[in-house]
Amino acid sequence: MDPFSLLKKGISYHNQKVTKATEGITQAEALFRPYNSANSLLWEVGHLTFFRNTYIKLLNSTEKLEKLDNETALFGFGSTTHAPEVYPALEAVVGAFLQRGTRIEELLATTTPDHWDSDSPINFPGGKTVGSQIEFLLLHEGLHTGEMMYISTLIKRLR
């Protein structure tokens, strides 16, 4: 059995949920913030897209990362709300999220148990090894995917 099958299933499952949550959503709807204080659907997708690069770096520290314009400022640690016109199109963010998911799956196909158990080159919560940090990222992704589903349902019901 593939030791990374659960992680691959999680990535695939989140891809499906993000796709479903964003289907038929306009850019204006994607920027809707429940109670004017919760995160928007677009921010949620962008945040996970940002962290999918962390998976990639953990799996291959020499990988050249692709980033959306202003990705770190818009979606990274400590990011704050910006004017709507600053955000990239929802379709571009979802596309980057899915593309990075594909890259993670490709890298997992060549990840060795020794690399998985090795000390992480990144000072990041969730553990000290590459594997423990990736497991943490998958849990983090699940949390935000659930939030996205909730926000998407609100958007569609408030139409």
Side-chain angles (χ1 to χ4, degrees), residues 12-114:
S12 177
Y13 180 76
H14 294 153
N15 286 349
Q16 292 169 9
K17 289 299 184 183
V18 168
T19 299
K20 181 176 178 167
T22 58
E23 279 178 339
I25 301 292
T26 67
Q27 185 73 6
E29 289 173 326
L31 291 165
F32 165 69
R33 296 176 60 224
Y35 301 108
N36 243 2
S37 61
N39 294 317
S40 70
L41 182 63
L42 181 58
W43 184 87
E44 294 281 354
V45 180
H47 184 65
L48 292 184
T49 300
F50 171 82
F51 277 103
R52 279 198 164 181
N53 266 348
T54 306
Y55 284 91
I56 292 168
K57 255 326 185 188
L58 286 166
L59 292 168
N60 179 8
S61 63
T62 63
E63 183 109 3
K64 172 98 170 101
L65 299 176
E66 293 183 24
K67 287 188 155 194
L68 300 164
D69 289 342
N70 299 316
E71 182 174 325
T72 302
L74 293 173
F75 307 118
F77 287 114
S79 59
T80 58
T81 305
H82 298 273
E85 62 272 6
V86 175
Y87 289 93
L90 177 63
E91 295 81 18
V93 180
V94 171
F97 176 81
L98 296 173
Q99 181 275 328
R100 292 176 194 180
T102 298
R103 185 63 186 137
I104 292 164
E105 290 178 5
E106 291 168 354
L107 290 168
L108 284 170
T110 61
T111 299
T112 65
D114 284 344

Side-chain angles (χ1 to χ4, degrees), residues 116-132:
W116 187 259
D117 293 332
S118 68
D119 289 338
S120 172
I122 301 172
N123 182 14
F124 188 75
K128 300 284 185 200
T129 65
V130 167
S132 62

